[in-house]
Amino acid sequence: MKRIVLHLDMDYFFAQVEERENPYLKTKPVVIGADPKGGKGRGIVSTCNYIARKFGVHSGMPISWAYGKCSHAFFLPPNFPLYEKASENIMEIIRKYSPIFEPASIDEAYLDLSFTKTFKKAEEIAKKIKVEILTSEKLTCSIGLGPNKLIAKMASDFQKPDGLTIIEPEKVLDFLSNMSIRKIPGIGPKTEAKLNALKIFKISDLQKMSQEELKKLLGKWGSDLWYKAQGVNESPVVSGYVRKSIGAQTTFPEDKVKNGEVLNALLKLAKEVLGDCVNQGNSFQLVEVTIRYAGFETHTHSKTLPKPSTSFTTLRSQALQLAWPFLQDRRKIRLVGVRLGKLKKI
Ligand code: DCP
Ligand code: CA
Ligand code: CA
């Protein structure tokens, strides 16, 4: 059967989340890495925004080199809980669009959309996903659609940031031919240098070679590479993803100041989420409440219970206790969320 695979990858993920939390950073170079000490620290760059990339900064380079290239950048330490939260919310959005869903890293996932039958319909889904992530998380991503995982992944990388690239089966060879061999997943700087020494620069140079020739040059990896250069990849999207938590959130049509309305929304969500949790045969031992203020400042607080529970009374009192501190200052609230974690089979 003809397959349609979607690959989604968030744009400059850690740095984009930091920009969302502090919009002042949007027009400045931003570098994220452990132990940054204003650029003088000894850590490694996790990622940076596209402004910093223009100065030659990239993931994996020492912070001190990044400072050499762009001393006026904002150097921030990573805030992993914040990125994990954003990642969880994004995955919850993506997974709704197909039963065959495979998260591939903190900021990327595959969906099998073969059931749509046409790339046109799959494209509509891709557009909806982009809009939903932008509206509810205020983050952009890049999506690729192709006849397999390899082409979908290369397509999502093709027009970053905020890209949508669709490669139908008959366009695969053309799409690949002009690209540098470095764009093939699995080809790093070492393999690139080795192949460049053999006068192989573009994927079209590989496409001209026979599988035997490449095998002689590079061993088994050579014949794998031959398939990649032809855009052939049979690996399925694997949906063995086990839920570790279950949650829901509501963005209010208008920002709310009235505590009563916020709490009502929170308890309604708690009821829904508990219903799903118990229907799936699970108890919970962790309750987490998220409050997002009008300016997008987001707070997530959680509490682990002494023992697993399935009780609404327990959930209700925990959720209220967790939410209460955020309702004291009467700031406008944009979104509330409830998540149950540490799930166990009842
Ligand atoms: N990451 C990291 N160290 C690396 C590479 C990545 O800590 N060497 C983290 C930070 C990234 C996140 O993983 O934000 C996702 O990695 P990507 O390779 O997808 O890169 P980005 O999302 O940052 O940028 P792009 O827009 O190129 O996808
Ligand atoms: Ca990314
Ligand atoms: Ca990624």
Side-chain angles (χ1 to χ4, degrees), residues 9-13 107 160:
D9 185 276
M10 299 304 296
D11 302 322
Y12 61 111
F13 185 49
D107 84 328
K160 261 182 169 299

Side-chain angles (χ1 to χ4, degrees), residues 16 31 56 71 79 83 133 136 170 173 207 237 242 257 259 283 308 313:
Q16 201 190 169
V31 177
S71 60
N79 181 345
Y83 314 144
I133 293 177
S136 62
E170 58 277 13
L173 286 176
Q207 287 173 341
V237 181
V242 182
V257 274
N259 288 349
S283 63
T313 319

Side-chain angles (χ1 to χ4, degrees), residues 20-236:
R20 176 187 82 185
E21 299 298 305
N22 184 359
Y24 169 80
L25 295 172
K26 274 190 195 296
T27 52
K28 317 279 185 304
V30 176
V31 177
I32 314 290
D35 183 34
K37 297 210 174 86
K40 307 261 163 52
R42 293 157 57 85
I44 298 289
V45 173
S46 303
T47 192
C48 59
N49 66 1
Y50 282 67
I51 303 176
R53 287 182 200 190
K54 288 205 186 113
F55 291 86
V57 181
H58 59 76
S59 298
M61 113 188 336
I63 296 270
S64 56
W65 292 19
Y67 186 77
K69 291 180 181 292
C70 188
S71 60
H72 66 295
F74 285 75
F75 290 89
L76 307 176
N79 181 345
F80 291 109
L82 188 65
Y83 314 144
E84 272 155 17
K85 183 78 208 157
S87 174
E88 264 181 45
N89 293 345
I90 292 158
M91 296 300 172
E92 286 301 317
I93 292 171
I94 304 171
R95 67 180 303 151
K96 288 187 307 196
Y97 289 88
S98 168
I100 309 178
F101 159 72
E102 180 183 343
S105 83
I106 189 163
D107 84 328
E108 62 194 86
Y110 293 94
L111 278 184
D112 192 316
L113 295 180
S114 307
F115 69 87
T116 61
K117 301 280 201 290
T118 65
F119 275 79
K120 197 87 215 110
K121 293 217 178 81
E123 179 180 353
E124 282 163 24
I125 293 185
K127 286 182 175 157
K128 275 193 195 152
I129 294 175
K130 281 172 72 83
V131 169
E132 195 175 342
I133 293 177
L134 188 62
T135 335
S136 62
E137 286 301 308
K138 269 208 179 170
L139 295 170
T140 65
C141 62
S142 295
I143 292 185
L145 283 175
N148 59 51
K149 284 168 97 172
L150 172 74
I151 297 301
K153 185 169 168 70
M154 292 175 78
S156 74
D157 191 47
F158 192 63
Q159 302 186 70
K160 261 182 169 299
D162 201 15
L164 173 55
T165 304
I166 297 143
I167 307 296
E168 298 201 29
E170 58 277 13
K171 295 278 159 59
V172 165
L173 286 176
D174 276 351
F175 170 64
L176 295 174
S177 61
N178 247 328
M179 274 192 213
S180 151
I181 50 169
R182 188 60 193 277
K183 292 283 178 187
I184 298 180
I187 295 201
K190 280 186 195 155
T191 317
E192 186 187 22
K194 191 168 169 181
L195 290 169
N196 284 171
L198 297 164
K199 296 207 162 41
I200 301 169
F201 299 96
K202 285 185 181 178
I203 298 181
S204 56
D205 299 328
L206 289 171
Q207 287 173 341
K208 285 178 214 142
M209 297 172 76
S210 75
Q211 193 175 4
E212 279 310 305
E213 266 177 286
L214 268 172
K215 203 172 170 183
K216 254 184 229 147
L217 286 172
L218 300 166
K220 179 176 177 324
W221 158 236
S223 61
D224 291 352
L225 191 58
W226 184 83
Y227 281 111
K228 287 185 177 174
Q230 305 294 324
V232 175
N233 175 255
E234 300 297 337
S235 49

